[in-house]
Amino acid sequence: MLSMSKKPQTLWAQDKQHIFITVQLSDSKDLDLQLKEDKIEFSAKKDSDLYQFALDLFKPVAEGSWHKTVTNRNIQLVVDKKEQDQEFWPRLQKEQGKLNWLKVDFSKFVDEDEDDEPQVPGQPDFSQFMANMGQNDQMNLESITQGMNFEDKDEPDSDDEEMPELEDLKK
């Protein structure tokens, strides 16, 4: 009886210069990766199961720029786009259609125009706030709110008005 191969859950993300691919296959053995300019071929065993896929990429990548990290939980790949600073790829694979084993990696997700947005003066830089989250036990809000003016003495504030008297209720 022939053993059918399975497809490992695979996540992908991108920024303007790179493609990030994470193959979620723990404790894999006999890993065989063929990383080419326009194609990925993956094969590995876990227990007695064979996992493999071949994927034609949406656009070519810079050949020889593949970086591979193999852990006991997954295989992470990073590659440079051949055409950097171009529009984002609409999908990882060349052919249209959904592959049920290939999903967007929202932990590495970057919005296409996120880096192009200028910082509005007087507004906090929340990207710095989120980047520094969890690094210290105390957050330095002063660095986030730097340049913001919280005292606007020219306009009356609703907090400055006196509270109206409470009416006595008859029982």
Side-chain angles (χ1 to χ4, degrees):
M1 182 173 174
L2 288 175
S3 171
M4 298 266 312
S5 67
K6 298 179 179 182
K7 306 253 191 259
Q9 283 296 314
T10 305
L11 304 175
W12 83 283
Q14 65 181 315
D15 63 19
K16 290 184 178 183
Q17 290 86 24
H18 306 96
I19 298 292
F20 307 95
I21 300 170
T22 303
V23 180
Q24 296 181 319
L25 189 62
S26 61
D27 302 321
S28 61
K29 306 233 183 307
D30 301 331
L31 176 64
D32 182 22
L33 262 174
Q34 302 296 318
L35 306 170
K36 301 174 184 171
E37 182 180 74
D38 59 349
K39 188 174 191 169
I40 301 171
E41 293 177 1
F42 173 90
S43 176
K45 289 182 182 175
K46 179 181 177 180
D47 301 324
S48 62
D49 295 324
L50 176 64
Y51 291 83
Q52 60 185 9
F53 67 84
L55 187 67
D56 292 322
L57 298 174
F58 181 74
K59 287 187 176 182
V61 294
E63 194 163 4
S65 69
W66 287 98
H67 301 282
K68 171 179 68 169
T69 304
V70 179
T71 69
N72 60 353
R73 298 192 69 163
N74 58 35
I75 297 99
Q76 297 175 2
L77 306 169
V78 179
V79 66
D80 297 336
K81 290 181 178 179
K82 193 170 195 173
E83 299 172 2
Q84 295 187 357
D85 293 325
Q86 299 294 315
E87 62 185 48
F88 274 33
W89 296 6
R91 59 190 174 277
L92 182 61
Q93 73 276 17
K94 187 174 219 164
E95 300 297 320
Q96 287 189 353
K98 182 165 174 48
L99 302 173
N100 62 359
W101 52 272
L102 182 63
K103 297 180 175 28
V104 174
D105 188 348
F106 287 104
S107 68
K108 295 182 177 119
F109 183 81
V110 175
D111 194 15
E112 187 168 358
D113 58 353
E114 192 172 278
D115 293 335
D116 298 338
E117 293 179 9
Q119 178 66 27
V120 178
Q123 294 294 318
D125 184 3
F126 287 108
S127 65
Q128 287 297 82
F129 178 74
M130 295 305 288
N132 294 328
M133 202 87 167
Q135 290 182 0
N136 299 338
D137 290 332
Q138 281 190 319
M139 293 190 304
N140 187 356
L141 291 177
E142 187 176 305
S143 66
I144 295 169
T145 58
Q146 186 175 6
M148 293 182 67
N149 184 5
F150 291 106
E151 295 183 29
D152 193 7
K153 296 180 182 179
D154 296 337
E155 294 182 30
D157 192 358
S158 63
D159 292 346
D160 296 338
E161 297 174 8
E162 287 191 32
M163 294 287 292
E165 293 295 322
L166 294 175
E167 297 177 17
D168 288 333
L169 295 176
K170 293 181 180 176
K171 291 187 179 180

